Amino acid sequence: MLIDGLPTEQIPVADRGLQYGDGLFETIAVLKGRMPLWSRHMARLQRGEEQLGFPLTDKHLLEQEAGQLCEGLGQGIVKIILTRGSGGRGYRPPSDPQPRRIITRHPWPDYPEAWYRDGVRIRLCETRFSRQPRLAGIKHLNRLEQVLARSEWDDPGFAEGLMCDDLGNLISGTQSNLFLLMGRSLVTPELNDCGVAGVMRELVMASAASLGLEVRVGPIRPEDLERADGMFLTNAIWGVCPVSEASGVVYDLTRLSGIPVSHRLITETLFE
């Protein structure tokens, strides 16, 4: 772990990330000793800094520090947390904030290969996203809605839970973005009011044309799950994960043939 470039595990209790969730984070896949989606992560991080009014962090410095932690790591995860730094009691941000950099290294999760071969089962959560356009799209530290949604089930047979906004529109999973296959179109929810705009979501949208697919971004209702030909989830660590069953709706995974699953989309796009 590095905090402001130093190997330590301690932060001041007055840190605003701890006090108020006043910060941002990125969870980055390390594959073959590299971070292939780094530029996309940094672009989203900067959008978050701008939306929250942070001074912009030196991205080259972040890359150097993350690379330092990646030394000798063939495959794993690097997590970057930026907070507004320390401040006094009260919500008002300091006039001259000194953002704090926290970078940690983690082993690669042991996701079952069956997820990508047979698909995953997912459920619909009762906890909903609140709509707040000023926070939409970025990975801010306030993730209590996802924490509450993820606490709704303990059944290991479900890999993920889908969350709606307060209007009943499907937004995302607790830790993933969603795509429905409808004919030769990929449909993914609008994220203008809530939800996280994932870097893998962005990569899938950019790669769709090469797969002979068009992308439509728009409202998705729970009842649309029954009309879809197929479904998959994305995040920076899962890659592309097919769904075999969503809230009782069963999908024929052969309909997703031609769409790379697991981390093939990352490796074939960026390591070819």
Side-chain angles (χ1 to χ4, degrees), residues 5-272:
L6 300 176
T8 180
E9 297 184 359
Q10 298 181 349
I11 63 171
V13 72
D15 186 272
R16 289 180 61 88
L18 173 64
Q19 294 280 348
Y20 307 116
D22 190 1
L24 303 156
F25 73 102
E26 294 289 334
T27 305
I28 303 171
V30 180
L31 300 169
K32 299 183 180 179
R34 295 169 53 191
M35 297 174 285
L37 296 178
W38 176 263
S39 61
R40 294 181 185 272
H41 282 286
M42 290 302 101
R44 181 174 61 188
L45 184 65
Q46 181 159 324
R47 290 196 299 271
E49 291 174 308
E50 293 168 349
Q51 284 179 236
L52 296 184
F54 277 30
L56 296 184
T57 306
D58 183 340
K59 304 305 184 294
H60 294 295
L61 176 61
L62 281 179
E63 187 171 17
Q64 291 174 2
E65 293 176 347
Q68 180 181 337
L69 283 186
C70 284
E71 289 181 6
L73 182 64
Q75 183 166 320
I77 294 172
V78 166
K79 183 172 182 178
I80 295 176
I81 299 174
L82 291 183
T83 77
R84 204 183 296 264
S86 297
R89 194 194 69 79
Y91 293 136
R92 183 178 180 179
S95 58
D96 184 25
Q98 304 297 314
R100 178 162 286 117
R101 309 182 308 279
I102 303 170
I103 307 180
T104 56
R105 164 178 162 166
H106 308 271
W108 189 259
D110 187 21
Y111 295 129
E113 183 60 33
W115 279 16
Y116 302 98
R117 183 186 66 244
D118 304 327
V120 296
R121 296 174 63 225
I122 61 177
R123 67 189 298 277
L124 193 63
C125 296
E126 295 182 8
T127 305
R128 298 193 173 194
F129 283 112
S130 301
R131 287 176 295 137
Q132 175 48 270
R134 291 195 63 181
L135 297 177
I138 62 176
K139 292 199 78 169
H140 55 79
L141 292 179
N142 292 270
R143 302 270 69 114
L144 284 178
E145 291 167 332
Q146 285 98 321
V147 169
L148 292 174
R150 184 59 187 87
S151 70
E152 291 181 20
W153 82 95
D154 290 320
D155 184 349
F158 292 105
E160 175 64 304
L162 299 180
M163 297 177 64
C164 296
D165 64 11
D166 54 10
L167 297 178
N169 296 308
L170 283 170
I171 299 298
S172 70
T174 65
Q175 58 178 320
S176 61
N177 291 115
L178 70 96
F179 287 85
L180 297 183
L181 177 67
M182 294 186 169
R184 296 306 296 169
S185 295
L186 293 178
V187 185
T188 192
E190 293 178 325
L191 301 176
N192 296 328
D193 295 322
C194 55
V196 175
V199 295
M200 275 301 301
R201 173 181 183 265
E202 184 181 72
L203 180 57
V204 167
M205 294 170 70
S207 304
S210 66
L211 300 174
L213 299 166
E214 67 168 347
V215 175
R216 290 190 285 118
V217 179
I220 297 178
R221 303 290 295 184
E223 52 266 30
D224 292 329
L225 297 177
E226 298 184 16
R227 300 193 300 110
D229 297 310
M231 179 179 181
F232 60 85
L233 305 175
T234 64
N235 75 23
I237 308 304
W238 289 358
V240 177
C241 188
V243 174
S244 59
E245 180 185 337
S247 196
V249 179
V250 177
Y251 297 110
D252 178 0
L253 295 186
T254 63
R255 301 297 294 271
L256 296 178
S257 61
I259 298 176
V261 297
S262 188
H263 270 85
R264 286 176 52 204
L265 187 61
I266 296 179
T267 57
E268 290 183 0
T269 301
L270 301 172
F271 287 149
E272 58 187 3

